[in-house]
Amino acid sequence: MDIRSANGPILLVEDDPSDVRLIQRAFQKIGNGFQMLRLSNGDDAVAYLAGDDPYENRGAHPMPSLVLLDLKLPRRSGFEVLQWVRRQESGLNRLPVVVLTSSRHSADINRAYDLGANSYLVKPENSAQLDHLASEFKTYWLRLNEFPTLYSEPAR
């Protein structure tokens, strides 16, 4: 069974609790109308996307519309998560992945794009800038963007 990824939640993969609170608040403030799930490390992100234990029930753990991915994560970096996603042959490799990180280093930006990131955003320095980013994100990714079809059971 295949699914349109536009039907799923946004998966936020971020380990910093302060950043999580700020990001979630900014997205709630814009009246998003979508669900945001959060995982705090790269291994859990891969397990979730693969549908591995404890995330095998897609009713309880639906495939996301897109992933907001930090690069500096425990256990498995954002680069490694992105590389894993792009190597899948089940349709999961089409999943939009937006890097949201604090690094402005050109080596990180280039590596993320080389690994298949759909977009690279630098975390804003204050809440007003984050609110603006969330609003622009909503307009582009949730209103204008056409989402690919993903398979509900990606290959492991």
Side-chain angles (χ1 to χ4, degrees), residues 6-144:
N7 298 332
I10 290 177
L11 179 61
L12 173 63
V13 187
E14 171 62 64
D15 63 316
D16 185 319
S18 296
D19 284 349
V20 169
R21 280 190 302 277
L22 291 171
I23 292 166
Q24 288 176 331
R25 184 197 57 78
F27 278 84
Q28 288 169 351
K29 200 173 184 181
I30 60 170
N32 52 43
F34 57 86
Q35 180 184 11
M36 183 176 282
L37 308 174
R38 185 260 181 149
L39 297 171
S40 61
N41 67 70
D43 283 349
D44 284 348
V46 167
Y48 187 97
L49 295 171
D52 289 341
D53 186 49
Y55 307 108
E56 64 274 354
N57 179 342
R58 285 295 177 211
H61 306 287
M63 285 299 292
S65 296
L66 60 88
V67 176
L68 274 174
L69 181 66
D70 190 18
L71 294 179
K72 309 289 193 263
L73 296 169
R75 296 199 215 152
R76 190 181 303 213
S77 74
F79 291 120
E80 293 170 302
V81 172
L82 180 57
Q83 185 174 37
W84 179 87
V85 168
R86 294 302 181 236
R87 287 187 173 165
Q88 302 310 297
E89 296 180 3
S90 63
L92 182 62
N93 58 339
R94 297 183 198 120
L95 179 67
V97 177
V98 175
V99 172
L100 180 61
T101 191
S102 56
S103 174
R104 291 185 181 275
H105 298 297
S106 61
D108 288 341
I109 296 167
N110 292 336
R111 184 174 177 201
Y113 280 114
D114 288 345
L115 291 172
N118 295 94
S119 184
Y120 190 103
L121 302 173
V122 176
K123 292 176 186 171
E125 296 177 13
N126 62 53
S127 61
Q129 291 172 344
L130 184 57
D131 291 347
H132 179 72
L133 183 143
S135 178
E136 296 295 319
F137 181 94
K138 177 182 177 181
T139 299
Y140 180 79
W141 285 104
L142 304 177
R143 289 189 184 150
L144 300 175

